[in-house]
Amino acid sequence: MTAYDDRPSTHTGDDSGTHRPARPFRTVAFGVGAVLAANSTPTPLYVTYQERWGFSAGTLTTVFAVYAAGVLAALLLVGGLSDRIGRRPVLQGSLCALIASYALFLAADGVTWLYCARAVQGLATGVFTGAAGAALADLHPRADHRTAGLVNSAAMPSGLAVGATVSGALAQWGPAPLRSPFLVLAGVSLVVLAAISAWVPETVAAPGRQWSRVVRLQPLRVPPEARREFLVAAMGVAVAWAVGGLYLGLAGSLVKELLHGSDSFVAGLVILSMQGVAGAAQLTWALRWSTVPDRVASAVGCAALCLGILAVAGALFTGSPVLFFAGSAVTGVGFGLAFMGSSRRITQAAPLARRGETLAAFFVVAYLAFSVPSVLAGLLTTRFGLVHTFYLFAETTALLSAATAVRSVRLDAIHLS
C-alpha cells in the first residue's frame, strides 16, 4: 500500500521522453514491488508468532495496524518530502530505514519488538512509495503519467502477492522460519538501494530543495468542486482497503480455521489469490478496456467485492477450501478495480493546484479503513470467535460495497443528465 505524492515539483527531466532511458523507470518500479512485498511478508508468520508468544487475536491485528499508523504518519508529516529535498535521497533513506525494520524483526523475541518493527516499516514504506510515485511520473520513457500511475498501482498488489507467497514458502520449508524471510528481504533491499544509487537520476532541480522543511504537517482539505466525487471515491477505496487489511492481518488465522492447522505457505497463497489477482485485474482492465470510464471500473469492483466476500463467508460456513480461494480471487478483482477506479476518479476530479492535498485526504481515508476494521475484527474475535466475526464483517462489507456501486451509478447518471 502506498502514500501518494502528486504535488507539482520543479524537475530536470525531459518531458518529450525521446531521450529518456527505461532502466531508471524499471528500477523504481521494481523497488515499489520489493517494498510492498515487505509489507505482506509478516502475514504468513503471524500465527507462528501468536503460538510462540501467546498473544490474542486482538493483539495480532493491532500489530498489523501499527504499520498503517506508520504510513499515516508519513503521509501527514512528510508528504511531498521528495519535492522539497529530491527523489534520490528520499528513496535511499527510506530503504535504509526499511532494512533497519528487518533487523528489528530478526531480533524480535516478543510482541513489543513486532510493534516497533511494523511502525518503522510503515513509516519507511509511506515515505518510499510517495517518492517512488513521483519518480515514476518523472522517469517514464515517454513521459506518460497515466501509464506510470498504472505501473505504480499494479506493482503494489503484485508485490504484496509475491512477498506473502515467498515468505510462506520460506517459513514452511526454510531453515529458520521467522528469520529467513527477512534475510531475503534485506538482501533484495540492498540490491534495490545499490541500483537506485547507480541508475536513477535526480529529477528535482537543486535550487528547489528545502532541507529545512523536512517535516511539514499536510493539511487535509477537499476542494468544494471535488467533494461529491470524493465521497464516492472514498467509499470505494474504504471498502476495498478494509477487505485488503483484513486479509493481510488475519489470513493465517483464516487458514487455520478452515484447514484446522497452521500452514504458512497456504496463508501466503491466500494473499496471492487476492492481491495477485488484483494486480492482474488492473492490468487487464487497462489493456483491454482502456476507453471504458473509470467510474465503471469502480462500480464493477465494488460489485465484485460484494460477491467475493460473501463467497468467502460461505466457504467458512461450508468448510470448502475451493470456494474460499475462488471467493478470494473474486474479492481480488474487486479490490483491484475498486481501488484503481476510485483513485483515478478523485485524481481527475481534483483541481491540479490542489490535487496533492485532495489525494492526501483520500489516502488518509484509505489507511484508516485499512487498519481500524482489522483491529475491531481482532477484538471481536476474542469474544465471538473468528468465524462469527468474519460473518459480521462480510455482511457489513457486502452492504457497503453494494451501496457504493449504486451510489456511483446514480452520481454518474446525474452528471450525464
Side-chain angles (χ1 to χ4, degrees):
M1 306 305 176
T2 181
Y4 194 93
D5 192 343
D6 194 42
R7 277 165 281 273
S9 64
T10 303
H11 63 87
T12 61
D14 175 12
D15 285 341
S16 68
T18 55
H19 303 294
R20 192 177 294 168
R23 186 161 62 178
F25 179 83
R26 293 171 180 169
T27 299
V28 175
F30 180 81
V32 173
V35 168
L36 269 295
N39 175 23
S40 61
T41 291
T43 296
L45 312 179
Y46 281 143
V47 171
T48 303
Y49 285 129
Q50 189 178 16
E51 292 174 347
R52 181 168 297 188
W53 296 330
F55 53 82
S56 67
T59 300
L60 188 155
T61 51
T62 55
V63 168
F64 167 76
V66 163
Y67 167 86
V71 178
L72 278 171
L75 186 66
L76 293 173
L77 297 177
V78 290
L81 178 62
S82 69
D83 288 337
R84 301 193 290 277
I85 68 172
R87 313 288 189 227
R88 274 166 52 93
V90 172
L91 294 173
Q92 292 164 332
S94 53
L95 279 170
C96 291
L98 273 172
I99 293 170
S101 76
Y102 308 150
L104 292 173
F105 277 113
L106 290 170
D109 59 2
V111 70
T112 302
W113 285 85
L114 294 184
Y115 281 122
C116 294
R118 286 296 274 175
V120 174
Q121 187 181 39
L123 183 62
T125 300
V127 175
F128 181 92
T129 52
L136 287 172
D138 294 344
L139 295 169
H140 190 273
R142 299 185 307 278
D144 185 345
H145 291 189
R146 184 178 178 89
T147 300
L150 173 64
V151 170
N152 189 30
S153 178
M156 290 187 284
S158 301
L160 291 170
V162 171
T165 305
V166 172
S167 174
L170 291 172
Q172 190 73 31
W173 298 298
L178 298 181
R179 294 179 179 273
S180 54
F182 299 107
L183 291 172
V184 170
L185 277 177
V188 172
S189 297
L190 287 171
V191 171
V192 173
L193 178 60
I196 287 175
S197 299
W199 295 333
V200 176
E202 181 56 70
T203 57
V204 175
R209 298 183 188 179
Q210 305 170 41
W211 287 93
S212 62
R213 302 179 64 191
V214 171
V215 177
R216 184 182 67 182
L217 183 63
Q218 170 65 51
L220 298 178
R221 294 189 294 262
V222 180
E225 61 269 35
R227 286 174 185 170
R228 182 176 292 182
E229 283 285 354
F230 181 88
L231 176 61
V232 177
M235 289 174 62
V237 79
V239 293
W241 282 37
V243 174
L246 189 76
Y247 265 79
L248 289 173
L250 295 176
S253 300
L254 290 171
V255 168
K256 185 176 181 180
E257 182 70 32
L258 190 65
L259 301 179
H260 306 291
S262 300
D263 192 314
S264 299
F265 182 63
V266 175
L269 290 180
V270 171
I271 305 302
L272 176 64
S273 67
M274 183 198 174
Q275 295 292 349
V277 170
Q282 290 179 345
L283 290 174
T284 301
W285 186 279
L287 293 174
R288 300 197 58 179
W289 298 292
S290 60
T291 59
V292 177
D294 294 327
R295 60 180 180 268
V296 177
S298 180
V300 171
C302 288
L305 276 172
C306 178
L307 295 175
I309 200 68
L310 290 176
V312 173
L316 291 175
F317 181 77
T318 61
S320 170
V322 174
L323 182 59
F324 179 82
F325 278 97
S328 296
V330 175
T331 302
V333 171
F335 176 91
L337 296 184
F339 175 39
M340 181 184 72
S342 296
S343 60
R344 285 183 175 180
R345 287 186 75 148
I346 195 59
T347 299
Q348 293 172 6
L352 180 61
R354 301 185 64 183
R355 186 174 291 167
E357 65 185 51
T358 304
L359 283 165
F362 175 76
F363 275 100
V364 165
V365 172
Y367 277 103
L368 287 174
F370 189 62
S371 55
V372 173
S374 296
V375 174
L376 291 176
L379 296 175
L380 290 173
T381 294
T382 60
R383 181 170 183 179
F384 301 109
L386 177 63
V387 173
H388 289 90
T389 298
F390 192 87
Y391 290 160
L392 176 62
F393 180 89
E395 292 170 3
T396 304
T397 304
L399 288 173
L400 290 175
S401 299
T404 302
V406 172
R407 174 66 176 167
S408 179
V409 171
R410 289 184 62 185
L411 177 61
D412 294 329
I414 293 173
H415 282 178
L416 291 175
S417 63

